[in-house]
Each structure stands twice: as structure tokens, then as C-alpha cells.
């Protein structure tokens, strides 16, 4: 139950793929949130939640405190998110690390124009891993830090694969090198190159005549696949539907450091049965924070590094201090 210092946060969702469906079920479990509706280009969805045309979203701006942008990072978020940020306080999961500064700038301009908050790049990496990298580096004067992803299915990279012309079905798994992880734990990760320490494995359903063109498009895709070692496997539709419907993922951030003669290691790890569910869980928590920041008068783009942890919780600050400190 929401405390006396909290009010019910009215939420909306744009997009109803895997992430949107996970956000829907998690919002419905929150003690201080209510789901107003889902905005979609489709006329009907298999849901009991109210569905509105996405083209008319701005008409509902005064009914929604936070809008969850459950859109793909490859093209949808860069193209659509600034428009939503002009009319709503938004939370996204944009995960193209190289282009996050550019995304931040665009969202900052749009959100300030509309007097809103745009909380960007939530999830687990970027997101929770970003926080752990920042804290780990801060604790050690000379930190050695390495991040590993997988083994698991990447939503953003799979979305990028599916957008390649000619791909009927496609997923991408990230696989870390075991020897690289052990070297990082031993404090010997200074020469580990993230591109060499991970392999990207794609499983694609497409017409045989398109295989070579699709393979070349994927392995040379900047920011997502190039310069990683990328393996593209073409399989039958039957095999794809049988073996590639789950969405496991995980990873770890390992930081080691010398504290004037003693060595310490910090390791933060995730083991996820369903990547969309955990990504949604983080996004929903940051949605609470975004709504609270907006209510306080904050505007513009905000990253996870700037959000006080207590704003994520439905529990009051006084109770958190009493219970957890």
C-alpha cells in the first residue's frame, strides 16, 4: 500500500512486444501505480488493458504521469522517443552504448521543451551495470574493471537482426569467454578486450538466396556487431520455433583493486530466466523515480547515475532508513 508521502502514479505503455507485455504485468503489481493504457499502431491486442492509437497519444498527456517506451533501440527509440518526451515524462531502455550521449542530448532538448523528465537507458546494461561500474571505480584508487555479458539472448541486438531486410525470424546470443572471466577475478583483466572476450551468435530464418547478403549486413553492422566475433547461423523455421523462444540472459561486472597492500574484489552478477521481465522490472522502478522527479519540478534527460536509490522504492524514505541502514 502506498504511504502517506506517495500518490498513485498513472502509467502508460508505448509498444506491446516482449518488453511491453512484461512492463504491463509488473505495473499491475505495484502498490502505487495504475495502468491507464497501452498505445499501439495495432487496432487490437490480446490484453484487458485499454488500448489507444499511438498517433493520438498526445491527447492523453494530462492523464499519464509516466510513459514507458517499450520500443526497439535500433531505430524506434531514436526516431520516436523525442516526440513522446515533448508530451510525457518518459522512461526508455535505449541500449546502444556508443550513441547514448547523442540520445541523451536529443531527449534532454525534447523533455525540457515540454517541461518533462526523460529517464534514459534503464535496464541492466546500460542501467544496473552502469551503477556498479561507477561505484566499483569510485571505491578503488586504481580499479581494474571488466564487464561480461551472457550467456544469453540480447533483446536490442536481436531487434537489430530482425530489422535486416529478408530476415523472417532472428535472435542473437552473447557468449563470454570463461578464461577472460577468471582472469578478471584474479585481478589480471587489464588486457581483456571486450570485443575479443565475447562472441555474438545469431540464428536466422531467411530464404537461402538471401543468406550471404544478410550475413554480411549483420557482421558489418556498426555498434551492434562490428568488431565483435560474430557467427551467423541459418536454420529452419521449425528449428527456430522449437529451440529459440526462451529469453535467458545474464552477466557480471568485476572490479578489483589494491587498497594500500590488500586486494579486494567486487562482483555484481545477474542470472535471468527471462530478460524482458528483469529489464521491465528495472524500467518500472525508474518509472516511479521519473514521476517523482517530475513532480518535484525536474526537467530534461536524466540517467540512472543521477537518481537517488530511494526514489525507486514504493517504501517511504523514513522506513527505508529505519529498515536498511
Amino acid at each position: 500500500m502506498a504511504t502517506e508521502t506517495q500518490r498513485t502514479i498513472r502509467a502508460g505503455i508505448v509498444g506491446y512486444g516482449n518488453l511491453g507485455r512484461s512492463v504491463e504485468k509488473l505495473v499491475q503489481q505495484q502498490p502505487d501505480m495504475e495502468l491507464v493504457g497501452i498505445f499501439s499502431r495495432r487496432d487490437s491486442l490480446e490484453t484487458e488493458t485499454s488500448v489507444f492509437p499511438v498517433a493520438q497519444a498526445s491527447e492523453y498527456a494530462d492523464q499519464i504521469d509516466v510513459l514507458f517506451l517499450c520500443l526497439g533501440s535500433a531505430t524506434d527509440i531514436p526516431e520516436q522517443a523525442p516526440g513522446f518526451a515533448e508530451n510525457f515524462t518518459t522512461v526508455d531502455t535505449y541500449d546502444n552504448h556508443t550513441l547514448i550521449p547523442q540520445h541523451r542530448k536529443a531527449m534532454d532538448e525534447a523533455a525540457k521543451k515540454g517541461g518533462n523528465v526523460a529517464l534514459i537507458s534503464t535496464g541492466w546494461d546500460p542501467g544496473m551495470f552502469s551503477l556498479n561500474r561507477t561505484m566499483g571505480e569510485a571505491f578503488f584508487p586504481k580499479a581494474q574493471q571488466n564487464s561480461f555479458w551472457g550467456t544469453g539472448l540480447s533483446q536490442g541486438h536481436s531487434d537489430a537482426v530482425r530489422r535486416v531486410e529478408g530476415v523472417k525470424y532472428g535472435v542473437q546470443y552473447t557468449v563470454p569467454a570463461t578464461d577472460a572471466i577468471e582472469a578478471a577475478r584474479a585481478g589480471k583483466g587489464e588486457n581483456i578486450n571486450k570485443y575479443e572476450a565475447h562472441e555474438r551468435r545469431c540464428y536466422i530464418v531467411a530464404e537461402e538466396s538471401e543468406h550471404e547478403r544478410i550475413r554480411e549486413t549483420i557482421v558489418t553492422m556498426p555498434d551492434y556487431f562490428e568488431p565483435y566475433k560474430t557467427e551467423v547461423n541459418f536454420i529452419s523455421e521449425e528449428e527456430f520455433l522449437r529451440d529459440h523462444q526462451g529469453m535467458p540472459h545474464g552477466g557480471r561486472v568485476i572490479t578489483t583493486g589494491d587498497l594500500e597492500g590488500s586486494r579486494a574484489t567486487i562482483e555484481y552478477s545477474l542470472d535471468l530466466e527471462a530478460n524482458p521481465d528483469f529489464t521491465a522490472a528495472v524500467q518500472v522502478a525508474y518509472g516511479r523515480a521519473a514521476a517523482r522527479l517530475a513532480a518535484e519540478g525536474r526537467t530534461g534527460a536524466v540517467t540512472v547515475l543521477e537518481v537517488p536509490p530511494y526514489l525507486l522504492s514504493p517504501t517511504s524514505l523514513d522506513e527505508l532508513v529505519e529498515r536498511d541502514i
Side-chain angles (χ1 to χ4, degrees), residues 4-246:
E4 69 279 2
T5 59
Q6 300 166 346
R7 60 186 180 86
T8 299
I9 297 169
R10 302 168 299 172
I13 296 171
V14 176
Y16 199 62
N18 293 317
L19 180 60
R21 288 189 290 272
S22 292
V23 168
E24 177 189 31
K25 68 182 181 182
L26 288 167
V27 167
Q28 292 170 340
Q29 296 177 41
Q30 303 307 310
D32 56 348
M33 291 186 183
E34 64 177 4
L35 185 56
V36 174
I38 299 166
F39 297 94
S40 176
R41 289 175 293 186
R42 289 179 276 174
D43 294 332
S44 62
L45 303 173
E46 293 184 6
T47 177
E48 295 181 2
T49 303
S50 298
V51 179
F52 307 112
V54 70
Q56 299 174 17
S58 61
E59 298 176 13
Y60 297 85
D62 62 349
Q63 300 178 37
I64 292 176
D65 299 310
V66 61
L67 187 65
F68 294 102
L69 303 184
C70 301
L71 304 168
S73 291
T75 56
D76 287 348
I77 288 181
E79 293 173 0
Q80 300 176 34
F84 288 116
E86 287 190 25
N87 295 294
F88 300 91
T89 282
T90 63
V91 183
D92 68 53
T93 60
Y94 185 68
D95 67 353
N96 188 331
H97 292 261
T98 304
L99 298 180
I100 285 175
Q102 179 178 317
H103 176 59
R104 181 187 179 205
K105 183 176 185 296
M107 293 298 280
D108 189 61
E109 293 174 355
K112 284 179 177 176
K113 181 178 180 180
N116 300 310
V117 167
L119 219 163
I120 68 166
S121 299
T122 67
W124 58 275
D125 197 3
M128 302 310 297
F129 277 20
S130 310
L131 291 173
N132 280 271
R133 282 190 288 264
T134 299
M135 288 190 293
E137 187 177 43
F139 296 155
F140 298 122
K142 296 179 181 179
Q144 173 57 56
Q145 197 161 68
N146 300 94
S147 297
F148 299 93
W149 305 276
T151 299
L153 183 145
S154 169
Q155 294 180 91
H157 289 75
S158 294
D159 177 66
V161 162
R162 288 191 290 269
R163 289 177 181 274
V164 174
E165 184 180 356
V167 172
K168 183 174 183 180
Y169 298 111
V171 291
Q172 184 260 289
Y173 299 93
T174 302
V175 183
T178 301
D179 57 349
I181 293 175
E182 293 306 318
R185 286 173 174 158
K188 300 177 181 179
E190 65 275 6
N191 295 320
I192 295 175
N193 181 311
K194 68 178 181 179
Y195 302 113
E196 298 173 352
H198 297 84
E199 180 181 340
R200 300 201 181 279
R201 296 178 188 169
C202 304
Y203 294 87
I204 307 294
V205 176
E207 293 293 334
E208 186 173 357
S209 60
E210 301 284 344
H211 286 187
E212 287 310 310
R213 178 186 59 80
I214 290 171
R215 187 193 308 275
E216 182 66 16
T217 301
I218 291 172
V219 300
T220 59
M221 190 182 297
D223 302 321
Y224 281 93
F225 294 100
E226 196 280 326
Y228 287 94
K229 179 183 178 182
T230 301
E231 177 184 290
V232 181
N233 302 283
F234 292 96
I235 61 176
S236 69
E237 182 173 337
E238 179 184 16
E239 181 180 346
F240 185 92
L241 296 176
R242 184 190 67 218
D243 299 337
H244 298 283
Q245 299 307 295

